[in-house]
Amino acid sequence: MLATRHVVCALSGGVDSAVAALLLRRRGYQVTGIFMKNWDSLDEHGVCTADKDCEDAYKVCQILDIPFHQVSYVKEYWNDVFSDFLNEYEKGRTPNPDIVCNKHIKFSCFYRYALNNLGADAVATGHYARTSLEDEEVFHQKHVKRPEGLFRNRFEVRNSVKLLQAADSFKDQTFFLSQVSQEALRRTIFPLGGLTKDFVKKIAAENRLHHVLQKKESMGICFVGKRNFEHFILQYLQPRPGKFISIEDSTVLGTHKGWFLYTLGQRAKISGMREPWYVVEKDGVKGDVLVVSTLQAPRTDHPALYRDLLRTGRVHWIAEEPPAALVRDKMMECHFRFRHQMALGPRLRAGQ
């Protein structure tokens, strides 16, 4: 008779992770719940709800009769996630801290703690995602040391685990898991991958998990909370006043506190302007933000807001190696998504 499999489930204090732990227990696994504290609420005058979330996660473990642990990754979060967040903004880019958090905290720090300190056979989260492995296959995965050096055989046959979209296309969270390592994916179970959000809520309601069911779903960046984003970011970055300038006639429309506060394509709230203006370009040298009004276009958009070319930094391949077609032809066709819940875009020709 096989020993009971031990799965350590990350609990956020929300309904999704609570139901994930419940489903794992129903499958007969030995389940342990862990709450991760990643942001120091004392620094933010109680804005972050980490303490309440921890209480809710603990109550979930009590209801399910499973062990509860709390770990703190405040230092790691600051160094690997928040510092990166600030650095990217200073460079004029718009980072996504959820993606970086999953990469460095949940599927690195938490993953290693679960396996090395708690003796887990696998880890689990409440993400809406799937992998190409069945649960039992996950338990048979062993750590595979990657070959060292740059000159690995790229065509070596590897049984790579694929990251697959969830059944609930609206809730699918593979966008946020796009930087997770192959090693972590091999030992991860996503119990909600085949379920819809409505069904998850139904399960919670039927299993005494009303305290998490009634909570509002967390949206946006945890460490910002309900505050004004501009006010928050300017606590950490120096203001760099500049002008909003129309690309149509170079008219100065107003002023701002920093060009890095704006994302290409976003609506720019310009004082005194009633019509919608959108960011087209940012001049980091002069500090100007170039904008355009869609009311000046024949439709509700403007050609200046579109691009037919984009350049990426280093690419993270979930399977660890580039697709054979790209290696062979230096070109491949792919679909793309640059925002959560955005439909996969039309085919994109990508080259090295």
Side-chain angles (χ1 to χ4, degrees):
M1 181 178 178
L2 291 174
T4 303
R5 309 293 193 184
H6 182 201
V7 182
V8 174
C9 184
L11 294 177
S12 65
V15 64
D16 294 329
S17 60
V19 171
L22 168 65
L23 296 176
L24 291 168
R25 206 175 187 293
R26 281 185 178 178
R27 294 176 191 176
Y29 303 138
Q30 174 193 344
V31 183
T32 297
I34 286 191
F35 177 83
M36 285 171 273
K37 182 179 180 181
N38 298 329
W39 187 255
D40 193 346
S41 58
L42 294 179
D43 290 342
E44 295 303 323
H45 310 291
V47 172
C48 195
T49 60
D51 293 340
K52 179 63 168 65
D53 290 337
C54 184
E55 291 177 11
D56 290 336
Y58 175 65
K59 188 172 181 180
V60 168
C61 289
Q62 288 183 310
I63 293 172
L64 300 182
D65 192 24
I66 62 175
F68 171 80
H69 290 260
Q70 179 183 357
V71 291
S72 175
Y73 296 126
V74 171
K75 179 180 178 181
E76 292 83 353
Y77 192 92
W78 181 278
N79 292 334
D80 297 329
V81 181
F82 190 63
S83 293
D84 173 80
F85 175 82
L86 295 179
N87 289 336
E88 287 294 291
Y89 259 99
E90 279 195 307
K91 294 174 183 176
R93 296 192 282 260
T94 304
N96 188 311
D98 290 331
I99 293 177
V100 183
C101 177
N102 282 327
K103 177 181 180 179
H104 292 293
I105 308 300
K106 292 177 184 170
F107 291 90
S108 182
C109 296
F110 161 73
Y111 168 77
R112 290 196 303 268
Y113 180 83
L115 269 61
N116 299 334
N117 294 63
L118 299 181
D121 297 305
V123 299
T125 70
H127 286 101
Y128 287 83
R130 296 178 297 142
T131 72
S132 54
L133 294 179
E134 298 293 334
D135 284 9
E136 195 56 36
E137 292 179 293
V138 172
F139 297 119
H140 294 149
Q141 298 298 314
K142 303 298 181 184
H143 173 69
V144 179
K145 186 177 180 180
R146 295 181 58 182
E148 296 180 358
L150 298 175
F151 301 101
R152 294 175 295 184
N153 181 1
R154 288 183 169 181
F155 297 100
E156 179 184 347
V157 177
R158 299 175 186 271
N159 186 23
S160 298
V161 178
K162 297 181 178 67
L163 178 64
L164 307 176
Q165 294 183 51
D168 189 331
S169 58
F170 182 75
K171 287 299 298 179
D172 175 71
Q173 292 174 298
T174 49
F175 177 80
F176 300 114
L177 300 170
S178 56
Q179 295 283 317
V180 175
S181 71
Q182 177 73 194
E183 177 191 351
L185 280 178
R186 286 181 177 276
R187 302 287 286 274
T188 300
I189 298 173
F190 297 113
L192 308 188
L195 307 179
T196 64
K197 180 73 176 191
D198 288 341
F199 192 59
V200 167
K201 289 181 177 179
K202 184 174 183 292
I203 294 174
E206 294 173 350
N207 289 275
R208 300 183 297 131
L209 295 171
H210 297 92
H211 73 291
V212 291
L213 182 60
Q214 295 168 357
K215 294 177 67 174
K216 289 185 177 181
E217 193 161 3
S218 59
M219 300 292 286
I221 304 170
C222 166
F223 51 74
V224 175
K226 297 180 180 179
R227 289 165 298 177
N228 178 282
F229 176 78
E230 180 177 306
H231 293 165
F232 171 80
I233 201 72
L234 289 178
Q235 293 179 39
Y236 298 92
L237 300 179
Q238 287 293 327
R240 299 179 190 175
K243 301 184 288 289
F244 285 113
I245 299 178
S246 169
I247 65 168
E248 299 288 348
D249 54 15
S250 299
T251 300
V252 176
L253 304 171
T255 60
H256 58 78
K257 296 180 180 179
W259 61 275
F260 53 81
L261 294 168
Y262 298 89
T263 299
L264 297 181
Q266 84 167 81
R267 181 169 178 175
K269 295 181 179 179
I270 305 174
S271 179
M273 294 291 173
R274 304 182 67 177
E275 70 267 31
W277 290 84
Y278 295 88
V279 178
V280 176
E281 292 287 354
K282 300 186 291 184
D283 188 331
V285 177
K286 296 181 179 180
D288 295 331
V289 176
L290 308 181
V291 295
V292 68
S293 171
T294 56
L295 295 182
Q296 298 172 10
R299 301 185 303 281
T300 57
D301 51 19
H302 192 288
L305 293 170
Y306 291 83
R307 296 290 186 273
D308 55 13
L309 178 69
L310 64 86
R311 189 182 302 276
T312 69
R314 185 176 179 180
V315 175
H316 171 79
W317 300 105
I318 292 175
E320 294 188 336
E321 299 290 356
L326 182 59
V327 175
R328 182 184 65 246
D329 304 328
K330 308 299 181 184
M331 188 73 66
M332 64 177 285
E333 287 191 348
C334 59
H335 291 81
F336 70 98
R337 174 186 289 135
F338 58 84
R339 185 179 298 134
H340 174 49
Q341 294 182 337
M342 173 185 178
L344 282 171
R347 286 187 175 181
L348 176 77
R349 291 189 65 80
Q352 287 185 311

